[in-house]
Amino acid sequence: MRNESEVPFADNPFLIPVADRMKRLPPYLFGKINKLKYQKRVAGIDVIDLGMGNPTDPPSQLIQDKLAEALKDPKNHRYSVANGIGNLRREVAKRYETRYGAKLNHEDEVIACIGSKEGFSHMCLSLMGPGDTAIVPSPTFPIHMYSVVLASGNVIALDVRDPNEFLRNVAYTCEHLYPKPKVVIVNFPHNPSSTVVGPDFYVELVKLAKMYGFLVISDFAYADICYDGYKAPSFLATPGALDVGVELTTMSKSYSMAGWRVGFCCGNREMVRALATIKGYYDYGIFQAIQIAAIVAMRHCDDAIDELCVEYQTRRDTLCDGLTRLGWEIEKPKAGMFVWAKIPEPWAKMGSIDFSMKLLDEGGVAVSPGRGFGEDGEGYLRLAIVENSQRLRQAVREIGHCTRVETAKA
């Protein structure tokens, strides 16, 4: 699986001599589901889409108004700078210190990205090459694996659902692999499994990084979407973290600005410099009017994050409680925008892809099959809580209808 977005192209073999890196990409495992979803929508059939973590809520009106104002300034329509305007980077550094106690130099330890996905991909490209190995969390969000693959690196996927076991496996791999892994990628709150960690996890990770000489890339996309009093810790708040790694954040989830494509990479200045060098060749940065609106968001719209978390927690409870009443074994996530649900018997034997097709075909509910996140995801579904509670209750009813006949047969 390459990504979660719908792709208009088939996975047929190329008829031209493409680069070898393209041949390392596997078939798109969501292809059948996205094709059926598209066909249903074209036919006018309602689809409740819980497949992608694509926020349906708009950004704060203040953010939208600032963008409209910035659009009127002719200077903002020029090329911007690839690393982000100074005031935006300064605001990110201020936010890290205020929220996490992590002190960053906005001049050389913060860079703006065209979404964290772009920053992550280009960071891998700047660090890795043939013969280099990265440890990635499993189940695996596609970009964590295939950014390494596209950089011609090798991947070792380690189950991350028990964080302490993950750390032990990282240490074991470093002890027994030669050459040792160059990069370890972490992602907490984790997508897709919603696994979370405390600050002690990063203390041990930094110790291992210094002991074995690997670099750390922390994907912190769901930093602010937390529930039940849980607060996600930042890797960069850990003593020594700036010596060994970087962290990527995004405004997509916290501020409902997914389509705006604003993200950041912060941390080790040499790693940030490597990313800046790559970006200097690839792009001219984010549209400046959007950067100005992003500054206003971070300065004035944190109350909207709190309100959003309350809304997502309500949706989480609606979906989890509904599936529990249907007999599913559900563990409510403490963070993130997804419910990681184990497929109950007797449907688990269908496999997650076929079961997902069943829910979409018969119930009009689109979900992500766990198999799309690697072998460790088989037997699970990832359901995004991006629809409102009423739509989620409707989704639960449809899932119940889809499985009722099967239950009777069982």
Side-chain angles (χ1 to χ4, degrees), residues 85-326:
I85 59 178
N87 283 342
L88 178 62
R89 289 182 282 113
R90 188 177 289 109
E91 204 64 38
V92 173
K94 180 181 176 181
R95 179 177 172 82
Y96 257 99
E97 184 169 8
T98 301
R99 294 181 77 89
Y100 306 113
K103 293 187 178 182
L104 298 169
N105 184 334
H106 78 279
E107 292 288 355
D108 57 8
E109 294 177 336
V110 179
I111 185 171
C113 309
I114 308 173
S116 60
K117 189 174 182 180
E118 176 269 317
F120 185 94
S121 300
H122 282 148
M123 178 58 76
C124 289
L125 192 63
S126 71
L127 296 179
M128 305 201 70
D132 292 330
T133 299
I135 292 175
V136 304
S138 180
T140 309
F141 184 60
I143 195 67
H144 296 155
M145 177 176 291
Y146 296 115
S147 288
V148 176
V149 170
L150 289 171
S152 301
N154 303 312
V155 172
I156 296 175
L158 299 179
D159 196 327
V160 78
R161 287 169 289 188
D162 181 338
N164 290 328
E165 183 67 18
F166 174 80
L167 288 173
R168 287 191 289 270
N169 287 334
V170 168
Y172 181 89
T173 302
C174 291
E175 284 284 355
H176 293 85
L177 184 70
Y178 183 82
K180 290 178 171 55
K182 186 174 185 179
V183 174
V184 172
I185 295 165
V186 291
N187 167 219
F188 298 104
H190 183 239
N191 176 11
S193 75
S194 299
T195 301
V196 296
V197 296
D200 289 348
F201 174 90
Y202 292 123
V203 172
E204 293 304 313
L205 182 63
V206 169
K207 287 180 181 178
L208 291 176
K210 292 189 173 185
M211 182 183 301
Y212 295 111
F214 60 74
L215 302 172
V216 175
I217 304 177
S218 168
D219 181 350
F220 201 29
Y222 297 93
D224 300 317
I225 310 300
C226 301
Y227 318 117
D228 302 325
Y230 172 75
K231 298 294 183 183
S234 165
F235 164 70
L236 294 183
T238 311
L242 286 176
D243 297 331
V244 298
V246 293
E247 186 162 80
L248 288 117
T249 55
T250 175
M251 301 191 75
S252 294
K253 280 73 179 179
S254 304
Y255 297 94
S256 297
M257 295 169 63
W260 297 51
R261 309 314 301 134
V262 185
F264 308 99
C265 178
C266 307
N268 181 275
R269 57 172 51 92
E270 280 298 288
M271 294 173 70
V272 169
R273 184 163 74 98
L275 176 57
T277 301
I278 288 284
K279 285 178 62 62
Y281 284 94
Y282 271 97
D283 68 71
Y284 289 101
I286 306 161
F287 179 37
Q288 191 155 293
I290 288 179
Q291 295 188 59
I292 293 169
I295 293 170
V296 168
M298 283 187 279
R299 285 180 181 172
H300 302 295
C301 297
D302 276 2
D303 287 346
I305 297 176
D306 297 334
E307 295 172 5
L308 190 67
C309 287
V310 170
E311 172 62 24
Y312 277 137
Q313 183 168 327
T314 299
R315 296 177 187 179
R316 177 204 68 172
D317 292 344
T318 297
L319 181 59
C320 289
D321 293 346
L323 291 175
T324 298
R325 287 193 294 271
L326 293 179

